Amino acid sequence: MIQPGLIELENISLTLPGFALENINLTIRENDFFAVIGPTGSGKSLLLEGMLGLMPFTSGRLLFNGTDMDRVPVEKRGLAIVYQDFALFPHLDVAGNILYGTRYHGISRDEAQNRLEHLSDILGLSRILDRRPHNLSGGEKQRTALARALILNPSVLLLDEPLSALDPVFHGEAKELLKRIHREMDMTIVMVSHNFDDVIYLADRGAVIHQGRICQTGDINILFEKPCDLFTARFVGMANLMPVKVGKGRVTVEGSDVSLRTANQPAFPFGYMGIRPEDIVPEPEGDVPVGSEPVGNRLRGTITGIDNHGMFIRVGLDSGGLQFEAVWPRRYIRQYNLSHGSGIRVYVSPEAVHVFREKLDPVPGCQDKAPLS
Amino acid sequence: MIQPGLIELENISLTLPGFALENINLTIRENDFFAVIGPTGSGKSLLLEGMLGLMPFTSGRLLFNGTDMDRVPVEKRGLAIVYQDFALFPHLDVAGNILYGTRYHGISRDEAQNRLEHLSDILGLSRILDRRPHNLSGGEKQRTALARALILNPSVLLLDEPLSALDPVFHGEAKELLKRIHREMDMTIVMVSHNFDDVIYLADRGAVIHQGRICQTGDINILFEKPCDLFTARFVGMANLMPVKVGKGRVTVEGSDVSLRTANQPAFPFGYMGIRPEDIVPEPEGDVPVGSEPVGNRLRGTITGIDNHGMFIRVGLDSGGLQFEAVWPRRYIRQYNLSHGSGIRVYVSPEAVHVFREKLDPVPGCQDKAPLS
Amino acid sequence: MSVLNRAKTDGMGLFFMGFSLPVILLLTLPLIEMAREPTVAMLFNTLKDREVMLAIARSLGFSLSAGLLAFVLGTPLSYLLARRTFPGKKLIEGIIDLPVMIPHPVVGIAILSLAGRTHPFGRFLADMGVQIMGTPTGIITVLLFVGLPFYVNTVKAGFESVPARLENASRTLGAGTWDTFRRITLPLTWRHMVLGIIMCTARAISEFGAIVIVAYHPMTAPVMIYERFTAFGLEYSQPVAVWLIALSLLLFVALRMMSRSAVQYQR
Amino acid sequence: MSVLNRAKTDGMGLFFMGFSLPVILLLTLPLIEMAREPTVAMLFNTLKDREVMLAIARSLGFSLSAGLLAFVLGTPLSYLLARRTFPGKKLIEGIIDLPVMIPHPVVGIAILSLAGRTHPFGRFLADMGVQIMGTPTGIITVLLFVGLPFYVNTVKAGFESVPARLENASRTLGAGTWDTFRRITLPLTWRHMVLGIIMCTARAISEFGAIVIVAYHPMTAPVMIYERFTAFGLEYSQPVAVWLIALSLLLFVALRMMSRSAVQYQR
């Protein structure tokens, strides 16, 4: 029953009135936890609908394990999905929901019962098997929807914004649960999300989608650290984005004297610099890894703002007439005597200075290729 | 026209079939940015409806600037609200929406036009004044709804989950905008939210509401750092919650040898300990503030997990048979050579060890009083 | 309680209530008065009149048949209108509403036009032994014509109230379109269908103008009421009307109760 | 295109379409046939018949009056049913649907029961000089009775489609309940009201059984169609029916167009 979960999308397009997915190429490998990331309206949920067979692609090929899915109806594709709103059947209780699909997958009554017990154990549903969906909390609904999909041992599990309908209180639990499911069960997971924080915790690989096109795809850490264009950079939380002239091992911010060493030598003469706000650190801390001194960047700045974000603070810095933004633990306020208008020296490692283009030629661009920086 | 914005709720109750707000006492001071915080279904939006006059309170008194509002209809209360879904009038363009209320507030046509120009300048709406709401992005809708409320110079502005309907991309901008509005305009803001991160950035004071009752109220930093019961603690992101015996200047985790110094001496013999995950720091860093050595807590632990959350990592530590959780910047992985199973020494300042009760007597409890720890 | 209080203090609510009163009175007073006028003795005498009971039984029977036919023939169309997009959908939705505006005698005339021997379809029907004029077949056809819009619109709204997402979820779990319809859509719209049958039957019971054209006999209750009114006057038609309405209400209550227990059985 | 393709390949869709066909045919074929049978000459002759045109004008005029009365009297009730909760709301919703199931002659009889001289209300009406039997007043009353449910249900759905939150937002901005109704609710439900008037008028045009009880004269089109059918047969009634339906459709198209431009004017 268990099949490998290789998914290939070849030149997929899907045209609707007023919106289109264009020329999507993706390879999702077996046992990947693959994230499709993009803002609302970027087309990522439409892509899921297309993969499920609920929306016919206008052109292109969709292959599961090498088999063209074009004429395979929804119910034969063997893809399970957990919807954002969970889509539980309101007239069935939790057990009825979970068992729903078993009869279509040659699972015997006894076997189905065994799996039900096992899954409801794991997912903490044992005591609510006879409740109706409208009596469940958000977290319970989600776990029921997961169990309903997992009981079929699908080779591919699709998750449509799995965390956005949950209260912050359930959010952390649900994240861990999804991670555990991927670790312990043998399947490919494709998740659609607009929240990069969730994605980076869960996914191995991913693709960034924007206005129906894929901007970048690859290892999730590379998307995070080396976004290949300005849109992706903003989306993954890169800050301190400034236009730069590129020199040998250095970038110079346009219209200023500020010049920074970079370990990411790009092949183009003009572009954008980006530094993650948490990679700008106060100087004493920057001293710790001794030896990095000769190649490090040291800046002297004035604090222009300190905003409290709970766990961390966001600090505004003026250095050489440029505005930088750093994120630090809250205890630094006391530790470094931070206050509005006071001076501070900060350190930026050359690895943390990223360089990329403003915009990429979308076709064939950087699809499934190494990023440019 | 501009009035002070003092709001007092005295013993407010509101009973609905299946839900009730009970015995709410709150004082919201002039020019406060006050947050009502609680999970979905806690009754916080109902409280707003009651303050607006859209839902009659079953008992209790609501005073604005000392005046009882019981018989004052909605349209005379002078409260402006920005709803979560913005509630823009679909048949009016942006300008029509913004100007809607002016004729009821004795604002002349010229004056209204001036304010419209001023506000659309500030809020970046000047170029979309003739668009209909369905053509606006989430951020534009929100700014229109804000302008529609602000043009009336309200003494009190209510915000109903102002950030939850926005894409992460607009989230940051919107937060800054709200902060700026509060700083630059003279008004009391009451915000309802379930997101503590937003609250701590924006609000000065707040109240935590849970199942229709207020758990704790006061300065936002105190809610954050010294939650007075277990529910509030969890809600504000406190971690490492463990039952403890309380001694003099120390707490001992029940069923273990682990004993920690605390600067927060409680007046009860048993309770819960909580340490924010970012307050457990690796030892070399803990060394930095010299002089704190004699009172600090030093623990030796084994790393049981490192989870990547993007900007930061969440590290699991086993120390003396107990599981601790810490949150550190991502670069610590390299800096301290963190890896699964490796040993590490961590430091916890006595100020960071909080102690509170599991549950408080709800009435009169800690309403608008100092926290207990 | 508190909601009422609020409505009381609010001027527009009061004003609107004042404006609504004549409407409520217009709809209820005539019926109450009609039911009040006949004496109990007259009502019981009417009950013993075999012809009256036969006419009422025919009315209920034919109307219920039309309701059940609407269920069989109208359900697929309702589903298509609620779920699919296809060219000409707007036109078909317009056609569904047509019977509401066609004058009732015209409905009868139109159906006779088709069934007449001058028309090939009419001849085909006659050859099959199917008679329209003056037969139960004709009456049920007419009642189906006038009742269908009520069934289709009610059940279409029912299908629309089931999120398409639930059907999609069912299909991703391996159930084909038929199984999905049977296990998800049907249990969630069962009540709407019963309501649709009731609406269609109710509309059919009320029909007179089309029936009187197609079949004066076998006599149905509205025709009998009309006949008694013209022949003997108001007070002889009232008791029949009262019994017809009372028995129809009984039928609808029974159908509603059946649908409740059916829904509970189903899980 | 692609959506159609999908529907084609799917067995249930095809099956359902097959089942829907008889319904569509049942609703359209009789009317098409009826319109096809009269010759063009006959249609034109009928057009010149002053009595026919008068009857059609009466039907349209009385029905439109009922529609406009429904607008005046039914709008407040629709708003209350859509927005407020009050005890007895379910009962009133049931009463609104009553006219659908009351046999049409019974509607006439019930209204005569109330208006009769034996009843205090009837005497009051008579003293006021208001006659029901055989007058336009009686006809319009009957038409309002049968048409109101269509108006109220359509407009209630319209009010329900406006989120209460918009009205609340308006009130927090300083507009009272009246201003809110005028500036927010009304512009957003205007189309529903026109549609409700059309539905009510359409239902009124179709009425025959109740009119024939209350007023054979002044003769309305359905009564004339019935009279011609019984007196002269099918082919003499068909042209009148065709003209009635054609002119009604014209009226509805005109109303729709008016409402479009009205909505555009309003901003």
Side-chain angles (χ1 to χ4, degrees):
Chain A
M1 272 307 288
I2 297 169
Q3 312 154 349
L6 171 71
I7 303 171
E8 292 158 286
L9 287 83
E10 292 180 357
N11 278 311
I12 290 286
S13 294
L14 202 171
T15 312
L16 290 181
F19 188 79
L21 288 176
E22 279 174 56
N23 212 35
I24 305 280
N25 284 292
L26 275 182
T27 303
I28 299 167
R29 298 181 303 216
E30 296 166 39
N31 291 326
D32 260 2
F33 198 130
F34 193 94
V36 179
I37 314 146
T40 308
S42 58
K44 51 194 197 313
S45 292
L46 192 60
L47 189 62
L48 277 199
E49 299 251 288
M51 286 170 63
L52 286 167
L54 293 168
M55 271 287 175
F57 289 125
T58 315
S59 67
R61 292 207 309 164
L62 170 67
L63 306 170
F64 293 166
N65 306 314
T67 311
D68 191 330
M69 286 289 117
D70 187 32
R71 274 144 200 269
V72 180
V74 183
E75 61 268 25
K76 304 282 186 207
R77 293 197 177 189
L79 293 175
I81 182 163
V82 174
Y83 280 109
Q84 185 173 5
D85 61 1
F86 316 126
L88 297 179
F89 305 131
H91 58 304
L92 302 178
D93 59 19
V94 170
N97 267 283
I98 297 174
L99 292 170
Y100 184 85
T102 52
R103 68 167 77 169
Y104 308 112
H105 288 73
I107 300 167
S108 74
R109 219 167 244 272
D110 287 354
E111 172 63 13
Q113 205 57 43
N114 282 342
R115 290 193 194 176
L116 171 65
E117 274 165 35
H118 177 66
L119 275 171
S120 48
D121 246 31
I122 292 179
L123 298 173
L125 297 168
S126 307
R127 281 192 302 184
I128 55 168
L129 286 175
D130 57 352
R131 285 221 223 134
R132 293 288 174 96
H134 65 268
N135 289 321
L136 303 180
S137 73
E140 289 165 345
K141 280 183 190 161
Q142 190 188 44
R143 298 201 302 274
T144 305
L146 268 170
R148 185 174 70 174
L150 294 175
I151 201 168
L152 308 174
N153 280 344
S155 55
V156 180
L157 177 63
L158 306 182
L159 303 172
D160 182 16
E161 299 272 10
L163 300 160
S164 66
L166 296 179
D167 255 21
V169 184
F170 298 117
H171 199 107
E173 272 176 49
K175 254 163 111 160
E176 272 170 51
L177 180 64
L178 291 177
K179 186 127 193 160
R180 222 178 72 210
I181 286 169
H182 183 241
R183 209 161 26 212
E184 292 172 12
M185 299 186 186
D186 205 29
M187 72 179 98
T188 308
I189 297 186
V190 181
M191 173 170 85
V192 147
S193 177
H194 65 236
N195 187 331
F196 210 88
D197 291 346
D198 296 340
V199 165
I200 197 139
Y201 175 66
L202 289 168
D204 318 312
R205 297 174 69 246
V208 178
I209 191 167
H210 182 43
Q211 292 177 344
R213 289 157 180 272
I214 286 184
C215 305
Q216 186 174 0
T217 161
D219 184 273
I220 212 75
N221 287 305
I222 291 181
L223 293 189
F224 188 65
E225 291 182 3
K226 300 185 193 304
C228 72
D229 64 3
L230 202 56
F231 171 80
T232 313
R234 280 215 186 87
F235 199 72
V236 302
M238 187 75 76
N240 303 304
L241 299 162
M242 300 171 191
V244 290
K245 276 199 294 282
V246 178
K248 193 159 178 288
R250 298 194 81 92
V251 292
T252 309
V253 179
E254 288 194 8
S256 86
D257 299 335
V258 176
S259 169
L260 295 171
R261 288 201 177 88
T262 175
N264 307 291
Q265 178 69 47
F268 43 86
F270 296 96
Y272 271 77
M273 168 189 84
I275 305 169
R276 302 198 69 84
E278 70 274 21
D279 285 341
I280 300 182
V281 296
E283 174 80 272
E285 196 187 327
D287 277 335
V288 174
V290 195
S292 62
E293 180 128 8
V295 288
N297 296 298
R298 294 194 145 67
L299 296 171
R300 178 176 291 279
T302 311
I303 293 179
T304 56
I306 303 174
D307 284 329
N308 188 352
H309 286 262
M311 216 175 249
F312 300 96
I313 53 171
R314 205 169 274 272
V315 177
L317 288 171
D318 182 303
S319 179
L322 300 174
Q323 269 296 325
F324 289 90
E325 191 190 346
V327 167
W328 296 335
R330 217 147 74 98
R331 63 174 181 286
Y332 281 17
I333 298 181
R334 243 189 301 170
Q335 206 161 319
Y336 294 98
N337 260 313
L338 307 181
S339 69
H340 203 281
S342 66
I344 189 164
R345 293 193 309 156
V346 294
Y347 172 86
V348 183
S349 120
E351 281 82 28
V353 179
H354 305 287
V355 192
F356 34 76
R357 295 195 189 181
E358 181 177 3
K359 212 169 175 183
L360 287 171
D361 314 318
V363 188
C366 64
Q367 294 203 0
D368 237 347
K369 284 186 192 156
L372 297 179
S373 71
Chain B
M1 273 304 290
I2 296 168
Q3 312 154 348
L6 169 72
I7 304 172
E8 291 159 286
L9 287 83
E10 291 181 359
N11 280 309
I12 289 286
S13 294
L14 203 170
T15 312
L16 290 181
F19 187 79
L21 287 177
E22 279 174 57
N23 213 36
I24 305 281
N25 284 292
L26 274 182
T27 303
I28 300 168
R29 299 181 301 217
E30 295 166 39
N31 291 327
D32 259 2
F33 198 131
F34 193 94
V36 178
I37 315 146
T40 308
S42 57
K44 51 194 195 311
S45 292
L46 192 61
L47 189 61
L48 278 200
E49 299 251 287
M51 286 169 63
L52 285 167
L54 294 167
M55 272 287 175
F57 291 125
T58 316
S59 67
R61 292 208 309 164
L62 170 67
L63 306 169
F64 292 167
N65 305 316
T67 312
D68 191 329
M69 286 289 119
D70 188 31
R71 275 144 200 270
V72 180
V74 184
E75 60 268 25
K76 304 281 185 207
R77 294 198 178 187
L79 294 174
I81 182 165
V82 174
Y83 280 110
Q84 185 173 5
D85 61 0
F86 315 126
L88 297 179
F89 305 131
H91 57 305
L92 303 179
D93 58 20
V94 169
N97 267 281
I98 297 174
L99 292 170
Y100 184 85
T102 52
R103 69 166 78 166
Y104 307 110
H105 288 73
I107 301 167
S108 73
R109 219 167 244 274
D110 287 353
E111 171 64 13
Q113 204 57 41
N114 283 343
R115 289 193 194 177
L116 171 66
E117 272 165 38
H118 177 66
L119 276 170
S120 48
D121 244 31
I122 292 179
L123 298 172
L125 296 168
S126 306
R127 280 192 302 183
I128 55 169
L129 285 175
D130 56 351
R131 285 219 222 136
R132 292 288 174 97
H134 65 269
N135 288 323
L136 303 179
S137 73
E140 289 165 345
K141 280 183 192 162
Q142 192 188 40
R143 297 201 302 275
T144 305
L146 268 170
R148 186 175 68 175
L150 294 175
I151 202 168
L152 308 175
N153 280 345
S155 54
V156 180
L157 177 64
L158 306 181
L159 303 172
D160 182 14
E161 299 272 10
L163 299 160
S164 65
L166 296 179
D167 256 24
V169 184
F170 298 117
H171 199 108
E173 270 176 49
K175 254 163 110 160
E176 272 170 51
L177 180 63
L178 291 178
K179 187 130 193 158
R180 221 178 72 211
I181 286 170
H182 183 241
R183 211 163 21 213
E184 293 173 10
M185 299 185 185
D186 204 31
M187 73 180 95
T188 307
I189 297 187
V190 182
M191 172 170 84
V192 147
S193 176
H194 66 236
N195 188 332
F196 210 87
D197 291 348
D198 295 341
V199 165
I200 197 141
Y201 175 68
L202 289 169
D204 319 310
R205 296 175 68 247
V208 178
I209 191 166
H210 182 41
Q211 294 177 343
R213 287 158 180 271
I214 286 183
C215 305
Q216 188 174 358
T217 161
D219 185 271
I220 214 73
N221 287 304
I222 291 181
L223 294 188
F224 188 65
E225 290 182 4
K226 298 185 195 305
C228 72
D229 64 3
L230 202 55
F231 172 80
T232 313
R234 281 214 185 88
F235 199 72
V236 302
M238 188 74 76
N240 303 302
L241 299 162
M242 301 172 192
V244 290
K245 275 200 296 280
V246 178
K248 192 158 178 290
R250 298 195 81 91
V251 292
T252 309
V253 180
E254 287 195 8
S256 84
D257 298 337
V258 176
S259 170
L260 295 171
R261 287 200 178 90
T262 175
N264 307 291
Q265 179 70 45
F268 42 86
F270 296 96
Y272 273 76
M273 169 189 86
I275 305 169
R276 302 199 68 85
E278 70 272 22
D279 285 340
I280 300 181
V281 295
E283 175 79 90
E285 195 186 329
D287 277 335
V288 173
V290 194
S292 61
E293 179 128 10
V295 289
N297 296 295
R298 295 195 144 66
L299 296 171
R300 177 174 291 278
T302 311
I303 291 178
T304 57
I306 303 174
D307 284 329
N308 188 352
H309 287 262
M311 216 175 251
F312 300 97
I313 54 170
R314 203 169 274 272
V315 177
L317 288 171
D318 182 303
S319 177
L322 299 175
Q323 270 295 326
F324 289 91
E325 191 190 346
V327 167
W328 296 335
R330 218 148 73 98
R331 63 175 182 283
Y332 281 17
I333 299 181
R334 245 189 297 171
Q335 205 161 322
Y336 294 98
N337 257 314
L338 306 181
S339 69
H340 203 280
S342 67
I344 188 161
R345 291 193 310 157
V346 295
Y347 171 86
V348 183
S349 118
E351 281 81 28
V353 179
H354 304 286
V355 192
F356 34 77
R357 294 192 190 184
E358 181 177 3
K359 213 171 174 179
L360 288 171
D361 314 317
V363 188
C366 64
Q367 293 203 358
D368 238 347
K369 285 188 190 155
L372 296 179
S373 70
Chain C
M1 240 283 298
S2 48
V3 177
L4 242 189
N5 278 346
R6 199 159 61 82
K8 261 186 202 153
T9 55
D10 130 26
M12 193 172 76
L14 270 183
F15 186 84
F16 274 19
M17 279 187 188
F19 246 78
S20 305
L21 201 65
V23 172
I24 307 288
L25 290 181
L26 171 68
L27 295 181
T28 48
L29 268 194
L31 295 171
I32 292 171
E33 185 50 32
M34 184 186 71
R36 220 177 48 81
E37 278 181 11
T39 61
V40 178
M42 268 176 82
L43 285 175
F44 271 95
N45 278 338
T46 312
L47 197 58
K48 281 184 230 144
D49 185 338
R50 217 180 140 265
E51 250 183 78
V52 170
M53 284 303 119
L54 248 172
I56 291 179
R58 267 189 218 109
S59 265
L60 296 185
F62 294 158
S63 299
L64 194 57
S65 306
L68 296 174
L69 269 173
F71 165 68
V72 174
L73 293 170
T75 305
L77 180 63
S78 315
Y79 186 78
L80 289 179
L81 289 176
R83 278 284 185 269
R84 303 291 169 89
T85 43
F86 48 87
K89 186 173 163 180
K90 281 269 161 215
L91 182 69
I92 289 183
E93 284 175 333
I95 289 171
I96 293 295
D97 282 334
L98 254 191
V100 169
M101 68 153 288
I102 306 291
H104 306 145
V106 175
V107 172
I109 289 169
I111 281 171
L112 285 185
S113 311
L114 193 69
R117 280 183 170 276
T118 54
H119 193 269
F121 185 73
R123 249 172 290 143
F124 168 77
L125 282 181
D127 292 347
M128 298 287 293
V130 177
Q131 269 260 307
I132 294 291
M133 192 139 188
T135 63
T137 317
I139 294 175
I140 293 174
T141 307
V142 155
L143 297 183
L144 187 59
F145 186 96
V146 297
L148 253 173
F150 290 81
Y151 182 83
V152 171
N153 286 331
T154 306
V155 174
K156 185 181 141 208
F159 285 131
E160 279 166 353
S161 74
V162 176
R165 186 158 275 205
L166 290 185
E167 295 178 356
N168 291 346
S170 161
R171 296 194 61 201
T172 63
L173 294 166
T177 41
W178 280 109
D179 279 316
T180 297
F181 187 78
R182 193 173 53 79
R183 292 182 68 197
I184 303 298
T185 319
L186 207 57
L188 292 173
T189 50
W190 187 242
R191 280 163 189 270
H192 289 94
M193 289 176 194
V194 174
L195 185 62
I197 292 173
I198 290 177
M199 291 296 288
C200 176
T201 306
R203 172 63 186 88
I205 286 174
S206 75
E207 186 51 44
F208 163 71
I211 291 182
V212 84
I213 297 268
V214 168
Y216 202 90
H217 289 282
M219 195 176 269
T220 48
V223 176
M224 173 176 279
I225 292 168
Y226 177 71
E227 196 188 52
R228 295 214 166 180
F229 173 75
T230 47
F232 311 112
L234 200 57
E235 58 264 46
Y236 288 89
S237 58
Q238 281 170 339
V240 187
V242 170
W243 281 115
L244 174 61
I245 291 172
L247 291 173
S248 319
L249 284 177
L250 217 69
L251 172 71
F252 299 146
V253 170
L255 276 175
R256 276 283 193 163
M257 306 246 290
M258 258 175 55
S259 84
R260 287 246 166 91
S261 52
V263 167
Q264 262 156 13
Y265 167 73
Q266 178 114 21
R267 94 133 205 187
Chain D
M1 239 283 296
S2 48
V3 178
L4 242 190
N5 278 346
R6 200 158 61 83
K8 258 185 203 156
T9 55
D10 130 27
M12 194 173 77
L14 270 183
F15 186 84
F16 274 19
M17 279 188 187
F19 245 76
S20 305
L21 201 63
V23 172
I24 307 289
L25 290 182
L26 171 67
L27 295 182
T28 48
L29 268 195
L31 294 172
I32 291 171
E33 185 51 30
M34 186 187 70
R36 219 177 49 80
E37 278 180 11
T39 60
V40 178
M42 268 175 84
L43 285 176
F44 271 94
N45 277 338
T46 313
L47 198 58
K48 281 184 232 144
D49 185 337
R50 208 175 149 271
E51 249 183 79
V52 170
M53 283 304 118
L54 247 173
I56 290 179
R58 268 189 217 109
S59 266
L60 296 184
F62 295 160
S63 299
L64 194 57
S65 307
L68 296 175
L69 270 174
F71 164 70
V72 173
L73 294 170
T75 305
L77 181 62
S78 314
Y79 186 78
L80 290 179
L81 289 176
R83 277 285 186 268
R84 303 291 168 90
T85 43
F86 48 86
K89 185 173 165 182
K90 281 267 159 215
L91 181 69
I92 289 183
E93 283 175 334
I95 288 171
I96 294 295
D97 282 333
L98 254 190
V100 169
M101 68 152 289
I102 307 293
H104 306 147
V106 175
V107 172
I109 290 169
I111 282 171
L112 285 185
S113 310
L114 193 68
R117 283 187 167 276
T118 56
H119 193 270
F121 185 72
R123 249 171 292 143
F124 168 75
L125 282 182
D127 293 347
M128 297 288 290
V130 177
Q131 268 259 309
I132 294 290
M133 193 142 186
T135 63
T137 315
I139 294 176
I140 291 173
T141 307
V142 154
L143 297 184
L144 185 61
F145 186 96
V146 298
L148 254 173
F150 290 81
Y151 182 83
V152 171
N153 286 331
T154 305
V155 174
K156 185 180 141 207
F159 286 131
E160 280 165 353
S161 74
V162 177
R165 185 159 277 203
L166 290 186
E167 295 178 357
N168 291 345
S170 161
R171 295 194 61 200
T172 64
L173 294 167
T177 41
W178 280 110
D179 279 316
T180 297
F181 186 78
R182 193 174 53 79
R183 291 183 68 196
I184 303 299
T185 319
L186 207 59
L188 292 173
T189 50
W190 186 243
R191 279 163 190 270
H192 289 93
M193 290 176 193
V194 173
L195 185 62
I197 293 173
I198 290 177
M199 291 295 290
C200 177
T201 307
R203 172 64 187 86
I205 286 174
S206 76
E207 185 51 45
F208 163 71
I211 292 182
V212 84
I213 298 267
V214 169
Y216 202 91
H217 289 284
M219 196 176 269
T220 48
V223 177
M224 173 177 280
I225 291 168
Y226 176 72
E227 195 187 53
R228 295 216 165 180
F229 173 76
T230 47
F232 312 110
L234 201 56
E235 58 264 48
Y236 288 88
S237 59
Q238 280 170 341
V240 187
V242 171
W243 279 116
L244 175 60
I245 293 173
L247 292 174
S248 320
L249 284 177
L250 217 68
L251 173 70
F252 299 147
V253 171
L255 277 174
R256 276 284 192 165
M257 306 242 292
M258 257 176 55
S259 84
R260 286 247 167 88
S261 52
V263 168
Q264 262 156 11
Y265 168 73
Q266 179 113 26
R267 88 126 209 202

